[in-house]
């Protein structure tokens, strides 16, 4: 209790000191403006604007400090599982982590071509179910069906989208993908995502062919387009199945609108293109509330875009390494960023853009990039640790 009170009093003193400084600055600014313009009313307007801006910065600074203290008390819990035949616990690495919409199941894929389905309890991750050789190659992307608690889809650089039951590990079906556009070589899918309402599914081939399917219509293919730049990532916006964005090699972020036709097919129409990154956009994320789009690039730049206006309102350049993965917390307050070099995962406050936490022991492995996923129902996350070889749950501190 004493430590908490001390922090509060210290914070009050700091705020009081900064506020006094801001008043002095504002008065000096006001004096200068009056001398320059000779218009007291205009001076007062400027003074009020400056004072309001400074108050906003002070409040933001206080919130960021509180958030930093909050993360210091997080508890890491390593989830242990048994290696499959021919491998040790440190010989395979985690590629992707994905959590279902209710936060009750978590899936990881590994470089040994296996997937592991974990049960998430309030205390820890338990009872992993192992599926060996889920695809002919390692699984690169996992997407949970938002209409169910237990069903998810995977792709692994072959021509199949595989649908699984998370509580039994049973393979429901395999959807063989054929394309009309793009290169003639065999299909090699690397991205799959259900739309937020589960009405559509999008898959991306290695040659940047984007294909839409209708899960409610026996996974019938309903649209196909070919992009002329390499697609690093794709994310749906939180508008049912109306829009998605792609992160491209040339640094642009095209946004596509999904337009239904009378024959149950769809047109994929370019709505607008976001520009500004000077290197490849390697990762995208939309916060669960749908208020912002976050984009990470090969040059280590993290940008935030308001989804209502599609205007860039913040850029973070704290780490000079290529960004591998981005994920936003359940309310969009925090954004986690992983890197493909020697840096740990960083967590940033969305409103201020300031770093509030560095996740320990979370650098990328020899074969894979670091990965992280927030839970949708609590301020906790799971991430790859020990150079990608282990899965760790970072728990929110218990309230006393």
């Amino acid at each position: 209790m004493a430590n908490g009170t001390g922090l509060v009093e210290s914070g009050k003193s700091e705020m009081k000191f900064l506020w006094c400084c801001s008043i002095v600055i504002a008065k000096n600014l006001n004096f200068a403006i009056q001398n320059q313009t000779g218009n007291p009313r205009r001076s007062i307007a400027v003074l009020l604007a400056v004072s309001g801006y400074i108050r906003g910065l002070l409040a933001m600074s206080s919130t960021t400090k509180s958030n930093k203290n909050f993360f210091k008390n997080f508890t890491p819990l390593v989830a242990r599982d048994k290696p499959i035949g021919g491998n040790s616990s440190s010989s395979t690495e985690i590629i992707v982590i994905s959590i279902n919409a209710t936060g009750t199941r978590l899936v990881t894929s590994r470089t040994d071509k296996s997937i592991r389905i974990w049960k998430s309890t309030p205390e820890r991750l338990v009872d992993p179910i192992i599926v060996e050789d889920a695809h002919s190659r390692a699984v690169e992307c996992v997407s949970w069906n938002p209409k169910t608690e237990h069903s998810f889809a995977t792709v692994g650089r072959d021509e199949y989208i595989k649908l699984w039951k998370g509580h039994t590990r049973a393979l429901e079906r395999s959807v063989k993908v054929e394309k009309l556009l793009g290169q003639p070589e065999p299909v090699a899918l690397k991205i799959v995502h259900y739309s937020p309402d589960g009405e559509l599914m999008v898959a991306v081939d290695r040659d940047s062919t984007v294909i839409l399917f209708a899960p409610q219509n026996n996974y019938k293919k309903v649209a196909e387009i070919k992009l002329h730049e390499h697609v690093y990532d794709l994310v749906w916006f939180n508008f049912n199945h109306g829009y998605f964005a792609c992160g491209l090699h040339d640094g642009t972020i095209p946004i596509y609108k999904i337009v239904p036709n009378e024959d149950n097919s769809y047109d994929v129409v370019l709505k607008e293109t976001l520009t500004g990154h000077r290197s490849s956009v390697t990762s995208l994320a939309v916060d669960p509330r749908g208020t912002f789009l976050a984009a990470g690039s090969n040059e280590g730049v993290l940008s935030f875009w308001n989804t209502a206006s599609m205007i860039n309102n913040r850029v973070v350049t704290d780490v000079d390494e290529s960004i591998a993965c981005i994920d936003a917390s359940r309310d969009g307050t925090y954004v986690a960023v992983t890197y493909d070099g020697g840096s740990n995962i960083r967590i940033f406050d969305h409103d201020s853009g300031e770093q509030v936490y560095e996740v320990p022991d979370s650098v990328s492995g020899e074969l894979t990039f670091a990965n992280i996923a927030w839970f949708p129902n609590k301020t906790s996350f799971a991430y790859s640790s020990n150079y990608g070889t282990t899965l760790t749950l970072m728990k929110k501190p218990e309230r006393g």
Side-chain angles (χ1 to χ4, degrees):
M1 181 66 70
N3 289 336
T5 304
L7 286 173
V8 171
E9 293 301 322
S10 174
K12 287 181 179 178
S13 298
E14 181 181 359
M15 289 291 289
K16 184 176 180 180
F17 172 76
L18 290 173
W19 175 246
C20 290
C21 290
S22 70
I23 293 297
V24 172
I25 293 171
K27 285 182 176 179
N28 281 308
L29 179 61
N30 186 44
F31 175 78
I33 293 174
Q34 286 191 59
N35 285 330
Q36 184 174 5
T37 65
N39 188 336
R41 290 185 178 180
R42 184 180 299 175
S43 302
I44 292 172
V46 173
L47 173 61
L48 292 174
V50 171
S51 298
Y53 176 73
I54 293 174
R55 285 197 300 271
L57 290 178
L58 291 170
M60 192 178 294
S61 175
S62 177
T63 301
T64 301
K65 183 175 181 179
S66 175
N67 289 342
K68 288 180 179 179
N69 291 331
F70 172 71
F71 277 101
K72 286 179 181 179
N73 297 321
F74 265 53
T75 304
L77 296 172
V78 176
R80 304 290 183 184
D81 64 342
K82 295 180 180 179
I84 59 178
N87 294 295
S88 66
S89 58
S90 60
S91 64
T92 68
E93 296 178 14
I94 293 171
I95 300 172
V96 65
I97 303 169
S98 183
I99 303 172
N100 68 355
T102 58
T104 58
R105 291 288 190 280
L106 178 149
V107 169
T108 60
S109 70
R110 285 184 171 266
T111 52
D112 60 6
K113 298 190 291 185
S114 70
I115 56 176
R116 286 164 169 78
I117 308 164
W118 297 80
K119 183 185 296 183
S120 175
T121 70
E123 296 299 321
R124 61 185 66 246
L125 300 172
V126 298
D127 303 334
I129 301 173
I130 300 176
V131 179
E132 298 185 36
D133 298 317
H135 284 260
S136 57
R137 297 185 180 182
V139 170
E140 293 195 11
C141 192
V142 176
S143 179
W144 288 90
N145 187 339
K147 289 183 176 292
T148 71
E149 182 181 359
H150 299 293
S151 297
F152 62 92
T154 60
V155 293
R157 293 278 178 170
D158 56 23
E159 68 268 39
Y160 293 101
I161 300 172
K162 293 190 176 182
L163 310 176
W164 306 86
K165 283 290 187 184
H167 58 304
T168 64
R169 75 177 177 187
L171 178 63
E172 290 186 82
R173 64 175 295 184
S174 295
V175 179
K176 187 174 182 179
V177 176
E178 297 178 350
K179 59 184 182 180
L180 299 175
L181 306 174
Q183 300 299 319
E185 65 257 20
V187 174
L189 301 172
K190 63 172 191 170
I191 295 173
V192 63
H193 290 302
Y194 282 98
S195 61
D197 61 359
E199 292 295 319
L200 291 178
M201 169 191 279
V202 63
V204 182
D205 184 52
R206 64 180 174 183
D207 73 349
S208 300
T209 301
V210 179
I211 307 170
L212 287 179
F213 302 88
Q216 310 308 311
N217 191 13
N218 201 32
Y219 287 88
K220 177 184 177 182
K221 183 167 71 171
V222 293
E224 179 179 349
I225 62 171
K226 173 69 172 69
L227 277 61
H228 297 289
E229 288 284 341
H230 179 75
V231 180
Y232 279 95
D233 202 3
L234 182 150
V235 65
W236 288 94
F237 287 90
N238 295 12
F239 304 111
N240 297 321
H241 54 275
Y243 300 87
F244 65 77
C246 296
L248 301 186
H249 175 71
D250 65 359
T252 63
I253 307 170
I255 298 172
Y256 293 93
K257 183 178 181 179
I258 313 303
V259 181
N261 297 316
E262 292 182 358
D263 62 354
N264 293 323
S265 66
Y266 291 82
D267 290 329
V268 182
V269 180
L270 180 64
K271 182 70 174 176
E272 69 176 289
T273 301
L274 307 181
T275 60
H277 284 280
R278 288 182 276 182
S279 64
S280 302
V281 174
T282 52
S283 185
L284 297 170
V286 173
D287 73 293
R289 294 185 177 181
T291 59
F292 67 84
L293 167 70
S297 73
N298 193 54
E299 61 189 344
V301 174
L302 173 66
S303 62
F304 293 101
W305 306 77
N306 184 299
T307 55
S309 62
M310 283 304 158
I311 294 175
N312 173 240
N313 54 18
R314 186 166 294 104
V315 173
V316 178
T317 59
D318 287 23
V319 181
D320 188 19
E321 284 185 29
S322 178
I323 291 174
C325 172
I326 302 174
D327 198 30
S329 64
R330 60 175 177 164
D331 59 359
T333 300
Y334 307 113
V335 176
V337 181
T338 79
Y339 302 90
D340 71 1
S343 293
N344 282 322
I345 297 171
R346 310 296 174 92
I347 295 178
F348 297 95
D349 178 271
H350 167 256
D351 289 340
S352 67
E354 291 189 37
Q355 178 182 317
V356 294
Y357 189 57
E358 179 176 337
V359 182
D361 189 26
S362 61
V363 300
S364 291
E366 294 184 6
L367 303 174
T368 62
F369 299 141
N371 203 263
I372 188 169
W374 291 92
F375 281 85
N377 56 346
K378 54 187 176 182
T379 310
S380 300
F381 55 87
Y383 65 99
S384 55
S385 55
N386 191 23
Y387 299 98
T389 61
T390 58
L391 174 67
T392 296
L393 170 66
M394 190 67 81
K395 280 186 56 181
K396 181 180 177 181
E398 300 292 339
R399 293 183 178 180

